Structure formats: structure tokens, C-alpha cells
Amino acid sequence: MSLSIPHALSVWRRNAAMYRRTWRLNILPNFFEPVLYLVSIGIGVGAYVSEMDGTPYIAFLAPGLVCVAAMNGASFEVTYNIYVRLVFEKAYDAMLTTPIEPDDVLAGEVIWAVTRACIYGGCFFVVIALAGLAPLPSSLLILPLLPLAGLLFAAIGVAFTVYIKTIDLFSFYFTLFLTPLFLFSDVFFPLKERLSGGWLWVAEVLPLLHPVRVARAAFRAEGAPIHVWDLFYILGASFLLLAWARRGVRRRLTN
Amino acid sequence: MGPRTESSIIVEASSVSKRFGARPAVDQLSLRVPAGVCYGLLGPNGAGKTTTLRMIYGVTRPDSGTVRVFGIDIGRDPRSVRSRLGVTLQQNVLIEELSPEENLRVFGRYHLIREPELSRRAHELIGFLELGSHAKVPVRQLSGGFQRRLAIALSLMNRPEFLILDEPTTGLDPAVRLALWSRIRDLKAEGTTALLTTHYMDEAQRLCDTVAIISAGKVMDEGAPSDLIAQRLARETVELDCSPSEEPALLNGLSPTPQRLRVGRRLMVYLDDATRLIEHIRKLDQGQRRSLIARPTNLEDVFLALTGTSLEGGV
Ligand SMILES: Nc1ncnc2c1ncn2[C@@H]1O[C@H](COP(=O)(O)OP(=O)(O)OP(=O)(O)O)[C@@H](O)[C@H]1O
Ligand SMILES: [Mg+2]
């Protein structure tokens, strides 16, 4: 292991320096997106579905959507943005002329993706809280969950990105992986009420399911042993995927 | 200036090889760059120059052989080696949205340089490479010459003892090239060792104390430019247009047959005294105009002789 946190943070700062230029513009969609979801699905669909899993539909939706925002924030960074820096901008070639090592690059990018996940998810949470959909103070527990959700999706995305040879494959990643996750991970309906026993076990592989379950529990101020498993899944999967991504980063940046 | 190394050899590459797939890119190449010199790596496209440089700063791992920089095995401790050297890549890597000043600051952080030193060095380099008029403009709007200067400035942020420049002046206008040469000389005067690649033989001849000419990953010859010229070819060159069938008649009567080099219709003839050949050709041509020049033999001739078209006669 040759990771140097100060060097990783200098990679993080490169991205932050670019983001600082445009954050005023970039951050606005982060506020619009939740408003659109809540109005369309929460208020629109919610008018027909009065209650789900014992709560008003719009309140059922809210915590899951915060996790989705974190997932999207991290995913865009570690897919398109890393690929552009790697292949088109060749930013990592420049970094590797300095004492920065491939492990620092990976760590810096993951920390940056986690940062973006927190910004996305944080904005979403603010909107929801202003709309009165986040019971305080228990729902504040979702804030430490955001970096964890960000870490998980940063790890998944970067493990994909460093092994692919063309940018076109990201459309598969988004439409065949992230979109199904978004639709089938307890965000819109409780899986446990729609799936029978065996399938419920299979559904446990879905990564988004775990942060969503913890987020909803936080909103309801209720904890259960299963949330220990959720946290274990998030950390364990992140660790394994990053170990795998690390090989790819080394192979991609050095030869 | 950083601390000088104990050893006076900055780079010592010992029979390094690197292949990509089945093709060797660098083949049993050995190289020694002593402290304080400007060392040129010359070679045709694909000769393995960039690959050699990458092995020196440790991002390409040789299949065999060893590379020591500052006396340190680069494979063992790349971080400490790279903290003491600077690299200007063949292709500029700049953040287009940011200004030169911001680019310098971002890059300086890769070396863990902190404020206020960070700003101090950025300003110093903006002055040194005459980027002042454009220091706050997004890089995207800069001309190629300014972008290249900035790329070089980046590689100087850590005040390197050893500077690696991969084709520093390719695609630049003559004024910018002159300006960059003089900056490289300034650095050399301060004690910086430089290793550069170039396709411009005039650049190598003016700037480099020693050059290595490489072809297909092997060193063909190495030495001071003037020595290489003197050892390889005669002093003067007559360069003329002629077809292969005309050639024997034109060179008739010269004994021994001089060394010559053909690139298409262009023939270069190397001799110690060009006057006899020129008079002979003028007489044969009887006033017809033929493109012909006589000039001192230069590094380009040696380069072509060693890497390009095969040299005929003499040796
Ligand atoms: N990552 C790589 N994968 C496969 N082949 C490579 C790789 N890098 C270099 N090569 C091949 O190795 C050979 C040497 O390349 P290199 O870039 O070192 O040449 P060069 O002397 O720098 O050429 P140029 O003057 O065009 O910059 C070339 O045939 C090149 O195609
Ligand atoms: Mg090259």
C-alpha cells in the first residue's frame, strides 16, 4: 500500500478548484431535482396512493430520494468525469510526474466523489426539510449516511470506469444498472411487500437498497439489527470494489 | 537550489528493455546523464524516446534492466525521486478552464507546496517564462506558445534539480523557440541537469552538450554533437537534386567515392572539400539550373545517416 493522504488531497483540490469556478451554476439543479420529484411523484402520484408502508406517500419517498441524489452525485464523478480526466485531459499523466502515486489518485477521486455525493444529497435534504418532510432531529442521522452512500457508489463506478475502453459503455452503466437500482431499491415501494421470501434474499445484492433502508429508518427514528447488516454491506462492498479498482488504476496509469 | 547529490551521475539506465505486446519499444538501452549537462535524446517517431523518459521517472516499468536517478532505484522509491525532478510532457496537460496562475497553484499542491510559498513560486515562474500578460486568462484562450511555456513552468514548480523535457518546442514559432532555449540555458547555468528529446537537430546542436541518437529502441551513437559529426561524416555537404541514374556521371572522377545519402531525388554528398565536385557538376550541367547547395555537415546528416535512409559508400 502506498497511499499518502496529503497527496490524495491535492488530487481532491484539483477537482475542487475547477468546481469552485462553476458551483453557482452546478448547484442549482441539485435543488430543482428534488422539487420536481416531490411535485410529480409525491404530490401527483401521491394523490392516488394515500399511504405506503404506514406513512403518507410523499413522506415515504423522501428519504429514498436523498440517497438517490447521493448516488447520482458520486456516480457522475467517477464515471464520465474520471474517464475524461483519464483519457482526454490526461490529468493523471501530469500528476504521475510528481510524487503522486496511483493509489493517491484513486483515493483523491473517491474522496471528491464522496464530496459531490454530500453536496447533492445535502441539497436534497435541505429541500425536503423545508417542505416539512424530514422529521427533526431524527432525520439528521441521514447526514452521516450520505458519505457512506457516496463511498459505495464511488467504489462501484470507479471499479467500472478503470476497466472500460470506451466512454460509450457508460450509457449501459446508467440505463442498465443505475436506473433499475433507482426503480427497485425500496425508493418507490417497499420491496418486502412485493417480493416473496427467496427473492427477498436475492434483492439484498442491490446496493442502493441498503442506504435507502437506513435512511428510512433514520426518518422514522427506528433502528433494527438489519441496519447493522446494511452498514456492513456498504463498507464491505466499498472496500472490495476499491481493492479491485486499485489494480485497474495501476494498470491504467502505469505500464 | 535543492541539495546536490553525492554522485555526479543523475541518470544511470543500464540495459533497459520494454516491449508492448511483441514489439520492443526500448531494447537493451543504456544511458548516463552526468550532473549539470543538457542531454539530448534524438530519434525518429516511435524510436522509444517517450518510453525511455517514462522509465526514467518511473511510470513505465522496464521489463528488464535498471534505472537509477540521483543514485536511487526509481522502482523502489519513485516518490522521493519525483519530488526532485520536473517533467514537461510531450502533450501539454493543462486545466483549460483555469488561468495560468491557478494551474501553477494546483500543480504546486501535487508537490505539497503550501501558501504563501505556493503563490510566491507561481509568480516567480510567471515572470521567468514571461506569462505575466496572460496570467489571469483561462488557459483555453492562450496561444500554443503560451500554453507550452505554462507547461514548462508547471514542471519547474518544485525547483527541480533535474528537468525532463519531451519535445519542448515542437510546433512553436521561431521567436518562442529562441525564448525557451534561453530559459533552458538559464536553468542550466543555475546547475539544473536537463534531459530533452527533440526532432529539431538545430535545437539539439545548440542546446545539448551530449546527444544520443536512438532508433528502434537502441542507442545508435552517443557523444557531443560536433564529435558525432566529425566522427561520422566529412566536413562539407553538397546537397542536390539528381536521379539515381544521373548519379554515377555526376560523381565521376571523385576518388575515393564519397559518402552519400539519398532521400527521394535529393542527394547529399559528404566531402572534406566541396569545390571540386561543384565545379564538376556545373560543367556537366552547362548552365542548366539545378537545385544545389554546399553547406557544413550538421547533426541532421548524422541523424539521417544513423536512423533513416541507408548511407552508401565510404564510411
Ligand atoms: N502504452 C503503449 N502501448 C502500446 N504501444 C506503445 C505504448 N507506448 C508506446 N508504444 C509504442 O512503443 C514505441 C515507442 O513509442 P514512444 O512513444 O516511446 O516513441 P517516441 O520516440 O517518443 O516517438 P515520437 O517521436 O513520435 O514521440 C512505438 O512503436 C509506440 O507505438
Ligand atoms: Mg514521444
Side-chain angles (χ1 to χ4, degrees), chain A residues 255, chain B residues 20 23 25 44-51 90 167 199:
Chain A
N255 54 27
Chain B
F20 294 108
R23 288 236 318 277
N45 289 127
K49 301 180 296 296
T50 299
T51 306
Q90 185 167 348
E167 298 188 25
H199 289 297

Side-chain angles (χ1 to χ4, degrees), chain B residues 34-304:
Chain B
V37 306
C38 180
Y39 193 104
L41 215 50
L42 314 178
N45 289 127
K49 301 180 296 296
T50 299
T51 306
T52 302
L53 297 183
R54 283 173 60 90
M55 289 193 286
I56 290 171
Y57 65 88
V59 294
T60 291
R61 198 177 286 271
D63 298 327
S64 61
T66 57
V67 179
R68 300 180 80 81
V69 184
F70 307 122
I72 302 167
D73 183 340
I74 182 71
R76 274 174 198 273
D77 195 358
R79 276 195 214 271
S80 70
V81 170
R82 290 206 293 256
S83 69
R84 293 164 63 185
L85 58 76
V87 183
T88 300
L89 296 169
Q90 185 167 348
Q91 250 186 314
N92 291 337
V93 178
L94 305 170
I95 306 174
E96 303 220 319
E97 292 82 354
L98 303 185
S99 69
E101 208 177 279
E102 292 165 313
N103 268 275
L104 286 163
R105 262 202 274 270
V106 165
F107 201 87
R109 289 216 167 83
Y110 298 161
H111 287 284
L112 308 185
I113 303 166
R114 299 190 194 295
E115 296 289 4
E117 181 65 12
L118 193 59
S119 290
R120 226 168 57 76
R121 290 199 191 181
H123 286 124
E124 200 175 280
L125 287 170
I126 282 167
F128 182 62
L129 284 153
E130 292 156 16
L131 288 158
S133 53
H134 295 71
K136 297 191 191 300
V137 179
V139 165
R140 186 189 296 119
Q141 296 171 18
L142 301 185
S143 70
F146 274 108
Q147 294 196 0
R148 197 59 180 156
R149 282 191 230 182
L150 175 58
I152 293 174
L154 293 178
S155 63
L156 296 173
M157 269 306 273
N158 60 327
R159 305 215 171 121
E161 298 159 57
F162 173 42
L163 187 58
I164 295 175
L165 300 153
D166 200 354
E167 298 188 25
T169 69
T170 298
L172 301 182
D173 71 44
V176 177
R177 291 179 72 204
L178 277 170
L180 284 180
W181 290 345
S182 110
R183 291 293 87 86
I184 294 170
R185 285 201 197 93
D186 292 345
L187 291 167
K188 195 187 152 192
E190 290 169 18
T192 309
T193 307
L195 171 59
L196 60 85
T197 75
T198 179
H199 289 297
Y200 301 113
M201 297 302 131
D202 58 330
E203 177 166 293
Q205 213 166 340
R206 282 188 217 193
L207 221 47
C208 298
D209 307 292
T210 309
V211 298
I213 296 177
I214 69 174
S215 177
K218 285 187 165 59
V219 176
M220 310 304 286
D221 205 351
E222 188 209 35
S226 55
D227 292 348
L228 287 187
I229 298 165
Q231 284 159 19
R232 290 275 167 183
L233 296 169
R235 243 183 23 242
E236 297 192 343
T237 305
V238 177
E239 205 181 308
L240 67 154
D241 278 344
C242 88
S243 67
S245 55
E246 285 177 281
E247 194 179 317
L250 291 181
L251 299 181
N252 192 18
L254 290 175
S255 140
T257 316
Q259 292 172 301
R260 51 209 191 281
L261 191 83
R262 176 175 283 285
V263 183
R265 268 185 67 76
R266 199 71 172 166
L267 182 72
M268 264 81 77
V269 186
Y270 303 103
L271 352 79
D272 284 326
D273 180 8
T275 43
R276 257 183 62 212
L277 175 63
I278 294 170
E279 280 164 14
H280 178 62
I281 294 172
R282 292 273 182 248
K283 212 156 65 194
L284 280 178
D285 284 350
Q286 295 181 330
Q288 273 182 337
R289 284 164 56 116
R290 178 195 291 275
S291 160
L292 179 150
I293 55 167
R295 57 171 174 79
T297 302
N298 60 35
L299 196 57
E300 190 156 302
D301 298 301
V302 178
F303 180 88
L304 288 171

Side-chain angles (χ1 to χ4, degrees), chain A residues 67 70 140-151 210-216 218 231 234:
Chain A
C67 294
L140 287 174
L141 275 175
I142 205 172
L143 295 180
L145 181 66
L146 292 177
L148 292 178
L151 175 68
H210 304 281
V212 169
R213 212 149 52 187
V214 178
R216 188 158 293 134
L231 293 174
I234 294 172

